[in-house]
Structure formats: structure tokens, C-alpha cells
Amino acid sequence: MVRFPLCLSFLLSATLVLAQPTPKIKSANTLRSVSKSTASLTSLIPLDPDVKVGKLPNGLTYYIRKNTEPKNRAELRLVIRAGSVLENDNQQGLAHFMEHMEFNGTTNFPKNELVNFLQSAGVRFGADLNAYTGFDETVYQLPVPTDSADVFNKAFQILEDWAHNATIDPAEVDKERGVILEERRLGRGAGQRMRDKYFPALLNDSQYAKRLPIGTEQVLTTFKPETLRQFYKDWYRPDLMAVIAVGDFDMKQVEGIIREKFGRISAVKSEKPRTEYEIPAHKDTKVVIVTDPEQPNTVVQVIYKRPEIKEKTLNDLRESIKRGLFNTMIGNRIQELTQRADPPFLGGYSNYSDFLGNLDAFTSIAVAKEGNVEKAIRAVLDENARVKQFGFTTTELARAKQEFMTNVEQAYSERDKTRSVNYVNEYVQNFTDKAPYTSIGFYYNFLKKEQDGIKLAEVNALVDQFIHNDNRAVIVMAPEKEKDKLPTVAQILSYVDNAGKGLTAYEDKTLNSPLLAKIPTGSPVVSEKQIKDIGVTEWTLKNGVHVVLKPTTFKNDQILFSANSFGGTSLYNLTDFMSARFASTLTSMGGTGEYNQIQLGKFLSGKQVSVSPYIGELSEGISGSAAPKDLETALQLLYSYFTQPREDADVVKGFLSNQRSSLQNQINTPTPAKVFQDTVTVTLGNNNPRRQPLKPEDLDKIDLDRALKIYKERFANAGDFTFYFVGNFKEDQLKPLIEKYLGGLPATEKAEKFTDLGIRAPKGQISKTVYKGLDPKSSVQLIYSGDLIWSPETATQLDALSEVLEIKLIEKLREEESGVYGVGASAAYAKYPVPRYTFRINFGCAPENVEKLIAKTQELINDLKQKGALPADIAKFKAETRRETELQLKDNQFWLGYLQNQYYNGDAPDEVLHESEQLSKVTVESTKEAANQYFGANLIRLVLMPEKKQ
């Protein structure tokens, strides 16, 4: 897998950027007290003492940490401080190719035995077992169980084999060429074509601009295995390696294993120098305007590059807090611009972050509305300039500090519940980029000591460091059709240089009122039922509200909740459909009670509260979360969304204006992926009017008053809702809050049902081919569908069928045929409106291989129908399912979704405890029966092919 740094991912995506990332928070580590006489700010950032770091005589570094979340699991990593930037001209793409070859044969795990072994232990290929290659590093990821000594020991053998025992069999190399060329094919498109044009300027013709990890087709198809072996020999060596182990194990034992296995790797005597490449600075502003026939919108990016800030001292840590506060405040301001009656852009963003190589960058991005580049970029840059001229306000800084502190407090409170995967990424960064890893205890105490002393003037001053006229790049990406309307390079420079004329200071409008003017008169719990084997309690309140509770200790600072009721948009005719479809979205945009959306966001700043109403096709409901200390606020907000929805015509006008513009862009420049997905949706929906692609004129059918009325109708009767709470609470402490707020909701005894709209996938054999796209790449979806008998056994058999087929598809289409990079087989099933299933097989490939790979897929299906699955594949499915369930049973999110589904479907709440019973029914014969039943006569074949050349 190829990975780009986060900042470059934004640049490559060219999609709508609508949300500001939160400041980077240190991962939660173990508490360490800080003495009153905290070291001076010139002191080095203390490293977390709970991490055992060592170096072997051969130069290999290791990091070991004991962590019991999750129990009986470990996260292992092999990190190579070598990526594509170190490739020679004749090795372009071989860092990534080498990553692939590690899964195709090592001394102790020939051919595909490594994957087979791990699958048998319940480790899934791709989802769990994986790797990625970047410009500067290659990282192998191996999550493993620790309750099997054999599996755990062999996991370290796998890491050692990756380090120096790859066989690089020429036959396997030739087979893997096709897989990597297919991965490369998947990456082709408008984003890739435009990137190839602007990367040399953005990266100033540096080595990074010439060494994209995916490589060149010419090298990938012609290189000799000896060239790959040379790369492996040069760069896979102990002094450039780190082994990371975090998990539920004995640290001394793990250190002994690492020393034994990796200590026998010989040090390289005359190693090749590991060049640290840089991206040279430039005095001028690089402006690149690129267009493409498949680019749907116009995106402008202004990137102010500057030397990377390396955090070493406590003062560096304090400076990083200032940057986080700056990012939060500028992000909030730009987000507010989208909540006007006439937003200046479809999306905007300004943020300081790391960039690539030796650089950081302050980046401003705007997605132009109706192609208006000047209006979009001026709007974003004017906000930057407003900070430069007037600064932030004291109230903005106070909220940002509160928000930052709340995030760190939450991480601190979860310090004993932090998952191992969160730790390993810190240690990877330490090894590859010398980023310090400190304990959350130290960071929390440091923040408490230092943040209050950060003055507004200090944060305001950062804008002068971030925004400058040198080492700057402006990238404009636009549809080919808009080429003649685009501004010139000189005009773009004038927009950038002349931003900030005629500005006034930002006015921070807040509201200081209670969410609820009057506390509701509640009603008591009148009945209670316990389901002790799963730790669940059911309450019924006097007003008819049903509540399902599962207190847990999986997280210290988390309570998740949801609610649902039958009904949804299915109860409204086509005349009202658009108003109903957007009812919850438009109502939420109004805020609630006295608060508009912006004021509500400011009111909730620093609180861990999220509440979102929704209206689906068959149901409506609420989803939300809160820290225990903020639960009453969350329940007040929930009550408010039920009882005092708010209409804001200006915000809705702006939202619909942006939606129209975005939809029109999709029509003006229909991308292959969008056209194909629309075809899939319309076909599966049997051309029903409610399954048509959204068009600009559809938005004209929305009546805001009608939408608000529909919203009120859907949430008028709380007695028809069931509410679910999962997380860290005590029932006796929660009860008075539930009785007050949920017991105070308006309710009647009327129970609603949805309307069956009769939307079903069409019967029989259907084949459609869509010809769209310039690149020689195809996409295939094969979809079986039909009725089913709803039962736990049916669900398990469908899950088993999808897993055993996917295993075989990977073996056949990827490993044997080298025809795909990835292939998926998945079963979806639902009880409502009637029990139905869809079984979907999808992959991307070369156009010339479509028919061959579909035929191979059908051969595998026919084989399952005739013989059933192999016992070994069934065993893999069972092992993976058991291992996954072990983790899910300790996860709040799983329990919330599970309980909601069980009650919604009228199924037994304790069904999860009988999984072993259902798994025992999965046999060779049962998979044969399932294949014959579910791979039936209803087959929809959908293929995307490139446009036919005229």
C-alpha cells in the first residue's frame, strides 16, 4: 500500500474540504507526576519512562511497552527508515514492490504460507495484517493474539523474516508485477494527471518530486529481480530498522525474543549512506494552473512552506500548543463563512501542519463556487489577513484553550484504557522523524501549567511566521471546460498579494442563555427488566419512552447513546420526498431553541457533547455521545432537538446554494466513479424515483416550512422511540436525568410503522456496461439478491459464505492471475421492509481482463455450489470471527449498534452469547447449501469501461 503524508493527501484528493482538523493531541500514556519545580522551558521533553527502548549491537532499535487494552493482543511493527526517496533511477517503485514481496515468500514462510498461517490464527489479511510505503519509510503492521504462545512467537519470526529473510523468488516477482500494476491503475485519474503536473513545482524539482512511491510503469514491468535484491540489501539493514511491540505480554520475555531473533542479523560493514533529502527553498511564488476533463470542481491552494519545526525542548512543546490554538480559531472562523446566506466557496480551510521532508507548511485551500476563483481564495485569505490586521479575540482564545484542555483531559482520563495501536504510531514517528513521545500525564500537567500563560498576542504573532511571500506555491486545479475562464498567473498572484483590503475586525457573537428556558417536568420509571447475562437493563417510563442501558467500564470518559423509531421518509409521498429527505439536515442547521448553529457550537466548546438527529427511509432517531460530566448537557440538547427545533432561512439558503453548485459541477463534469455509482444505485433500486441521483432542480422541491413540519411530526411522539445508553455510568445516577429529560418528552400511546415502498432489486439476469473515463481501467460489480428467512443462522451462513469466497477470490484473482490489487465479497442483509439480502463482489482491473476475471469468479462460485468451502477456509472464518468478537465485546460502539439492531429487529438481545453455537453450524455442507441458495437466478452484472475511442 502506498501512503502519502496527510498534507499531501489533501492536495491529491482535490475534494471538498468542509471541516477543520482538530489540533494534534498526544496519545494517552501512563501518568507521571510533575514536581512543582518543573524544569525550565529549555529542558528536553521527557520521554515516557514506561517505554523500554534499546539498541542491539548491530544497530537495530526496539521499543517495548506493556499495555492491556485490548487484553490478549499485541501490536507489532517493523519499521524501515527507507522509502521511495532512496531509489535509484532504475529502482522507481521498488521500495513499494519490496513491501509486497515480503508477503510472497520468506525463508520460514514460503510463498503464501505467511498469510495462511495468520488467517488461521484469526488475523485478517488487509484489515489487520498490512504494510505501507512512504517517501521516507516502510512500515509493516502485525496485530496478533498473545494468548497463544505459538502464534505470538511465530509473529516475531515473521518480523525477523521480513527484516532479512525475504526470498524474492523470480517467479513470485513476475506474478506480483501484475498486482502492483493494478494498484497503480487504481490510482490513475484526474488527481494523478494533475499531480504529475504540479508536483515538480510544489516540491521544487527535489528528489521527492521524482520518487512517487508507486513508481513508473517502465521500471515495474522491466526491472530484474537482482535490482530488487540490491534495494533490499542496501536498505533493509539493522541500523535503519526498528521493532516495536506494544501489548498484553511480559516485557522481559519480549525483549529476550527480540534480542535473540534480531541480534543474529549481521551488521552491514560498509553500508550505503542514507541520504537525507531536502526540498530546496525558493524566493519566488510558484503558480501552477492545471485542468483535466475529469476534474469536477475548481480548487485553489496556497501553500506557505517553511523549515520543519522539530519539537525537542519544553519550549517547543509550548509553541506547539500555540499552533494548535491558532489552527482551532482560524478553522472556526472559516467554517462560519459556509453558514451565510451566500457562502463565498463550497469549502475552505487554513491550517499549519507538517508537510514533507524538511518542511512544514501553512496551507489555505478553497473550493470555488461556480468556478469563481477570485471570490473563493480571497475569502479564505481575507480571514488570514483579518488575523494579521486585528488578531483573534480574547473570547475566541478562551474557547480554544477550553477545547484544547478538554481534549487532553479526555486522553488523560483514558490513560489506562488507551489501545495499543495508539501508542505504536508515536514510536514509529520517533524512529523515523525523531518526534518525542512523552506520557499523557506529563503533557496534561504541562498543559495545565503553561496554557493559561499563553497570551493572545503570542498566538496572534504566529500569523507573521506562517504567511510570507517567499517559498510559496499556488496550485489551481479546475475542469478542462473552465480553462478559458480561469485567471492568469499574474491575476492569481494579485489575488494572493492584495488580500485583506477593506477588512473590519471579527465580531465574536455569542449567546449566554440556558439551552432550556424551562426544565421539563419529567415522569418516572414505571417498569424495569434485567437481562443479566449481557448486563443490560430495560426501563419503561410513565410517558411510554423505552430505555435500554448497558453500563460498562471499557472507557472512563465515554457514554454513547442513540434512539430510533419506525417511520422515516417512507411515510411521505413523492411531492414531500425532498422536504422529508432534507428535513433533519435543514433543521439541525438552524440550531435549536434560542441558539443558532454558530452560537450553539460556541456554547458547546470545551464540552464533550455530540447530538445529531436524523430521518432515514424507514426510521428516524438520534445519535450522540458525551463525557459523563457533560451528560446532562447532552440530554438537554437531545430534549431541545425534540421539542424546540429552529429554522434559519439564511443558513439553509446558503447550504442549498452550495449544494446546487456542487451538483451542477457533477453534471458539467461527470466523473467515471460518480456515473458508475449512480448506475449501481438506480439499477439496484429498480429505477424507483427515490433512488435517482440528486439533481440541482430537486433542491427546488424543498420547502423549508414543510421540512420543519415533517421534522416535528417525526419527533412529536417520544413514546414510540427506544433510547439506548452504553458507557461509563451508574444506573442509579443516570435514572434521575433520564426521568427528567426523556420522561419530560411529549408522548402518546400511538405506535407508528414504516410504509413498504416496494423498492427491490430487479429479478433475473441484468447486465449493464457504462463507458466512461479516459484511463484504461475498469470496475466490476456482481450483485446477487433475493428474499431470505430472517434468523441468526442465516446471518452467520451469509457471513461465512462471503469470507470463504473472498479468501478464494484473493487467491485466484490476485495471487494466481495477478489481475487485481483488491477484491471484495460481502453480504448485506436487512429484516425491513421485508427480509432481503444482497451479495456483492467487486474489483477493479484492466479492461481487457474483465471477462476473464468474471469467468474465474463464476468458476469459484460454481465450485462452492458443487463442493462447498474447504475446511481450512471455514476454520479461518471461524478464527477471524471469534477473534473479532473478543474485541467487540469490550467496545462501547459495538454494543450500542448491536443493541439497537437487536431491538429494532425484534431479535433476542443475548444472541451474541450464542455465537459459538451458530459457528458450529458452518460446515462444508452448509456452505454448499448457502452457495446454492444465495447465488441464485437474480444476478446484476455492472461493468465500468473506459470511453470508446472515436
Side-chain angles (χ1 to χ4, degrees):
M1 180 172 69
V2 167
R3 174 172 292 185
F4 288 102
L6 181 62
C7 56
L8 291 185
S9 297
F10 282 128
L11 291 168
L12 300 182
S13 65
T15 54
L16 231 60
V17 183
L18 297 176
Q20 176 74 15
T22 55
K24 197 182 294 182
I25 301 298
K26 305 294 178 183
S27 297
N29 296 345
T30 306
L31 168 64
R32 292 288 152 192
S33 63
V34 181
S35 66
K36 291 181 180 179
S37 57
T38 303
S40 71
L41 293 177
T42 57
S43 301
L44 294 177
I45 299 170
L47 298 181
D48 189 340
D50 285 337
V51 185
K52 170 72 174 178
V53 182
K55 184 169 280 194
L56 301 181
N58 58 15
L60 183 139
T61 304
Y62 60 85
Y63 302 76
I64 307 171
R65 183 192 186 105
K66 181 174 178 61
N67 187 57
T68 56
E69 288 293 332
K71 189 174 176 58
N72 296 328
R73 293 291 191 282
E75 290 285 343
L76 307 182
R77 298 291 184 271
L78 176 68
V79 186
I80 315 296
R81 206 169 67 81
S84 61
V85 78
L86 296 177
E87 295 164 347
N88 298 329
D89 288 343
N90 68 340
Q91 294 176 330
Q92 292 180 66
L94 297 199
H96 174 236
F97 205 111
M98 190 61 236
E99 172 219 308
H100 276 239
M101 290 306 299
E102 295 281 25
F103 297 90
N104 288 327
T106 65
T107 301
N108 292 287
F109 298 91
K111 297 190 180 293
N112 292 321
E113 282 308 305
L114 187 152
V115 174
N116 284 331
F117 167 72
L118 289 170
Q119 284 178 328
S120 300
V123 179
R124 296 166 300 172
F125 181 48
D128 299 322
L129 172 67
N130 215 325
Y132 69 84
T133 303
F135 286 101
D136 289 296
E137 75 285 330
T138 306
V139 179
Y140 296 88
Q141 306 166 342
L142 181 53
V144 291
T146 60
D147 54 359
S148 165
D150 179 58
V151 172
F152 191 52
N153 282 315
K154 282 186 177 175
F156 283 97
Q157 185 59 61
I158 289 170
L159 292 186
E160 187 203 339
D161 272 21
W162 283 338
H164 73 133
N165 282 333
T167 50
I168 313 181
D169 183 320
E172 294 294 325
V173 169
D174 286 338
K175 282 166 59 176
E176 199 63 24
R177 290 183 203 269
V179 175
I180 290 182
L181 288 170
E182 287 307 314
E183 183 178 359
R184 192 174 188 277
R185 187 191 307 278
L186 289 175
R188 294 179 67 166
Q192 163 261 319
R193 289 189 291 269
M194 292 186 296
R195 177 198 67 205
D196 290 348
K197 294 176 183 177
Y198 69 69
F199 250 35
L202 177 64
L203 304 179
N204 202 15
D205 293 316
S206 65
Q207 181 80 347
Y208 289 96
K210 304 167 189 172
R211 291 294 182 266
L212 292 180
I214 197 63
T216 67
E217 187 169 346
Q218 192 272 332
V219 169
L220 293 173
T221 53
T222 62
F223 77 87
K224 300 285 192 281
E226 292 75 22
T227 310
L228 184 61
R229 287 195 191 96
Q230 188 61 51
F231 183 90
Y232 188 56
K233 179 183 177 184
D234 287 341
W235 304 118
Y236 279 62
R237 62 187 203 226
D239 62 303
L240 297 179
M241 284 181 185
V243 173
I244 300 171
V246 179
D248 188 8
F249 49 61
D250 181 273
M251 288 181 64
K252 286 187 176 179
Q253 179 194 7
V254 168
E255 184 175 22
I257 293 172
I258 291 173
R259 286 189 166 277
E260 175 206 345
K261 291 192 177 298
F262 294 90
R264 57 197 181 203
I265 303 175
S266 301
V268 177
K269 293 181 179 177
S270 54
E271 74 250 10
K272 190 172 183 177
R274 202 289 188 198
T275 304
E276 302 292 338
Y277 288 100
E278 295 188 346
I279 301 171
H282 49 91
K283 295 292 185 184
D284 61 337
T285 298
K286 310 278 188 186
V287 179
V288 184
I289 302 171
V290 292
T291 60
D292 192 89
E294 294 176 356
Q295 170 67 9
N297 46 36
T298 301
V299 184
V300 189
Q301 302 160 88
V302 184
I303 303 113
Y304 304 88
K305 296 172 285 185
R306 56 165 288 165
E308 178 186 17
I309 298 173
K310 292 278 192 184
E311 292 178 20
K312 298 178 181 178
T313 67
L314 295 180
N315 189 62
D316 296 333
L317 202 57
R318 186 178 185 275
E319 290 295 310
S320 74
I321 295 169
K322 286 162 55 176
R323 292 192 295 274
L325 297 171
F326 185 99
N327 282 343
T328 297
M329 291 188 286
I330 192 69
N332 289 338
R333 283 192 180 185
I334 291 174
Q335 187 64 28
E336 284 186 23
L337 297 179
T338 64
Q339 295 164 334
R340 294 178 174 177
D342 182 25
F345 44 54
L346 297 182
Y349 167 95
S350 279
N351 181 266
Y352 185 92
S353 65
D354 52 0
F355 185 66
L356 184 64
N358 58 313
L359 297 180
D360 287 349
F362 182 75
T363 303
S364 292
I365 298 177
V367 183
K369 186 176 180 180
E370 295 163 1
N372 194 329
V373 173
E374 180 179 4
K375 186 176 181 181
I377 198 61
R378 278 193 189 279
V380 174
L381 296 185
D382 277 354
E383 289 310 311
N384 298 344
R386 199 184 310 275
V387 175
K388 203 175 183 76
Q389 293 174 29
F390 304 103
F392 295 108
T393 66
T394 54
T395 48
E396 285 180 290
L397 180 61
R399 280 197 308 275
K401 284 182 175 181
Q402 189 177 25
E403 190 175 325
F404 205 105
M405 178 60 77
T406 298
N407 288 335
V408 175
E409 279 178 341
Q410 186 176 45
Y412 174 70
S413 70
E414 300 289 5
R415 61 194 179 277
D416 61 335
K417 301 292 174 65
T418 302
R419 295 214 157 198
S420 296
V421 70
N422 293 343
Y423 289 116
V424 294
N425 295 328
E426 281 192 82
Y427 312 145
V428 170
Q429 288 296 308
N430 176 258
F431 182 69
T432 60
D433 202 38
K434 298 182 175 63
Y437 54 90
T438 191
S439 74
I440 189 62
F442 176 84
Y443 190 72
Y444 174 56
N445 283 298
F446 181 81
L447 187 67
K448 284 198 299 183
K449 177 178 181 295
E450 294 295 333
Q451 184 173 253
D452 284 348
I454 293 176
K455 304 302 181 187
L456 182 61
E458 293 182 74
V459 182
N460 287 339
L462 291 176
V463 72
D464 292 322
Q465 298 177 28
F466 295 167
I467 297 176
H468 44 81
N469 294 336
D470 64 330
N471 209 14
R472 186 173 63 176
V474 182
I475 312 295
V476 178
M477 299 182 287
E480 184 75 26
K481 292 177 181 176
E482 302 292 317
K483 190 171 186 176
D484 295 338
K485 302 177 186 177
L486 292 173
T488 64
V489 169
Q491 287 174 316
I492 288 171
L493 282 172
S494 72
Y495 301 158
V496 176
D497 290 335
N498 296 322
K501 300 289 176 66
L503 298 179
T504 57
Y506 173 80
E507 188 178 351
D508 190 15
K509 298 177 181 178
T510 59
L511 186 65
N512 189 23
S513 298
L515 272 176
L516 304 178
K518 181 183 177 184
I519 297 298
T521 302
S523 59
V525 172
V526 293
S527 71
E528 178 175 313
K529 177 185 175 184
Q530 305 243 336
I531 308 174
K532 292 185 178 179
D533 55 354
I534 56 171
V536 164
T537 301
E538 298 176 7
W539 287 340
T540 302
L541 277 63
K542 189 175 182 180
N543 64 346
V545 166
H546 300 279
V547 184
V548 178
L549 309 112
K550 180 172 174 59
T552 73
T553 56
F554 307 146
K555 288 283 186 183
N556 297 323
D557 210 30
Q558 183 184 74
I559 298 173
L560 305 179
F561 56 88
S562 65
N564 61 2
S565 168
F566 285 127
T569 61
S570 70
L571 300 182
Y572 299 89
N573 60 30
L574 281 176
T575 303
D576 282 335
F577 174 54
M578 285 298 160
S579 296
R581 180 177 180 177
F582 282 88
S584 60
T585 301
L586 301 185
T587 305
S588 297
M589 286 182 165
T592 185
E594 294 184 39
Y595 284 84
N596 65 31
Q597 190 180 23
I598 294 172
Q599 292 166 340
L600 183 61
K602 291 176 180 179
F603 172 79
L604 294 174
S605 181
K607 299 179 177 69
Q608 294 286 352
V609 170
S610 170
V611 181
S612 302
Y614 68 86
I615 300 176
E617 185 163 88
L618 304 180
S619 65
E620 56 278 323
I622 295 272
S623 61
S625 64
K629 66 181 176 60
D630 295 320
L631 182 60
E632 183 162 10
T633 301
L635 290 173
Q636 288 178 351
L637 187 56
L638 182 153
Y639 181 91
S640 188
Y641 276 131
F642 263 87
T643 61
Q644 47 184 19
R646 188 178 183 279
E647 185 178 301
D648 192 325
D650 282 346
V651 173
V652 168
K653 181 182 177 183
F655 167 76
L656 293 179
S657 170
N658 273 7
Q659 288 293 308
R660 282 190 190 91
S661 180
S662 181
L663 291 170
Q664 192 60 52
N665 287 344
Q666 294 174 10
I667 291 171
N668 294 342
T669 309
T671 64
K674 178 71 168 61
V675 173
F676 186 56
Q677 188 52 52
D678 286 348
T679 303
V680 172
T681 303
V682 170
T683 304
L684 286 176
N686 212 0
N687 207 29
N688 188 280
R690 297 179 190 238
R691 295 293 186 271
Q692 300 302 309
L694 197 62
K695 300 181 290 296
E697 54 266 30
D698 290 329
L699 304 182
D700 298 331
K701 301 172 185 175
I702 297 172
D703 182 310
L704 179 56
D705 291 336
R706 179 62 178 144
L708 183 62
K709 185 178 180 183
I710 290 170
Y711 178 92
K712 289 179 177 179
E713 289 172 358
R714 292 298 84 231
F715 291 92
N717 176 21
D720 197 30
F721 279 75
T722 300
F723 292 80
Y724 308 87
F725 290 83
V726 176
N728 188 17
F729 59 82
K730 294 190 182 337
E731 290 179 19
D732 59 338
Q733 294 173 1
L734 183 62
K735 194 172 189 178
L737 295 176
I738 295 293
E739 291 178 328
K740 182 191 298 183
Y741 295 107
L742 300 191
L745 289 171
T748 68
E749 295 182 0
K750 180 184 176 183
E752 284 189 311
K753 190 72 176 170
F754 56 79
T755 296
D756 183 358
L757 299 169
I759 303 173
R760 312 280 191 271
K763 293 182 178 180
Q765 304 268 331
I766 293 175
S767 180
K768 291 185 180 180
T769 301
V770 175
Y771 294 93
K772 191 68 183 170
L774 304 176
D775 293 291
K777 63 179 184 178
S778 291
S779 197
V780 175
Q781 291 204 24
L782 305 175
I783 305 164
Y784 292 88
S785 64
D787 299 324
L788 56 74
I789 297 171
W790 187 260
S791 72
E793 184 175 349
T794 297
T796 303
Q797 294 294 339
L798 274 166
D799 289 343
L801 188 61
S802 64
E803 180 62 22
V804 296
L805 179 59
E806 184 168 284
I807 289 170
K808 280 289 168 276
L809 285 168
I810 291 171
E811 289 176 4
K812 176 65 72 175
L813 273 56
R814 175 176 165 135
E815 304 304 334
E816 291 182 24
E817 296 293 331
S818 304
V820 302
Y821 172 62
V823 56
S826 60
Y829 35 87
K831 187 175 183 179
Y832 303 118
V834 294
R836 297 270 301 174
Y837 75 92
T838 55
F839 200 107
R840 193 178 304 233
I841 300 159
N842 60 280
F843 55 85
C845 65
E848 62 271 20
N849 288 336
V850 165
E851 296 303 330
K852 178 180 75 171
L853 296 177
I854 290 178
K856 296 290 183 184
T857 300
Q858 293 295 348
E859 286 176 14
L860 292 173
I861 290 172
N862 290 335
D863 201 49
L864 280 172
K865 286 181 172 183
Q866 293 168 18
K867 305 174 187 174
L870 293 176
D873 291 340
I874 293 172
K876 289 175 184 177
F877 161 71
K878 292 180 178 181
E880 291 171 4
T881 302
R882 290 190 183 104
R883 288 297 185 187
E884 185 176 28
T885 301
E886 286 174 4
L887 297 180
Q888 289 177 332
L889 291 177
K890 300 291 185 182
D891 183 77
N892 287 335
Q893 195 70 56
F894 164 77
W895 276 107
L896 183 72
Y898 168 77
L899 289 171
Q900 181 167 312
N901 283 336
Q902 295 304 105
Y903 282 87
Y904 180 79
N905 291 323
D907 294 337
D910 64 352
E911 187 181 294
V912 70
L913 301 182
H914 305 287
E915 181 180 83
S916 293
E917 179 184 331
Q918 297 302 334
L919 288 178
S920 69
K921 297 176 185 177
V922 179
T923 62
V924 174
E925 188 59 33
S926 80
T927 56
K928 178 181 175 180
E929 290 176 6
N932 282 283
Q933 181 171 355
Y934 300 118
F935 296 132
N938 300 331
L939 171 61
I940 298 173
R941 169 191 148 134
L942 299 166
V943 178
L944 173 65
M945 297 286 278
E947 295 165 19
K948 293 180 178 178
K949 295 181 179 178
Q950 302 297 324

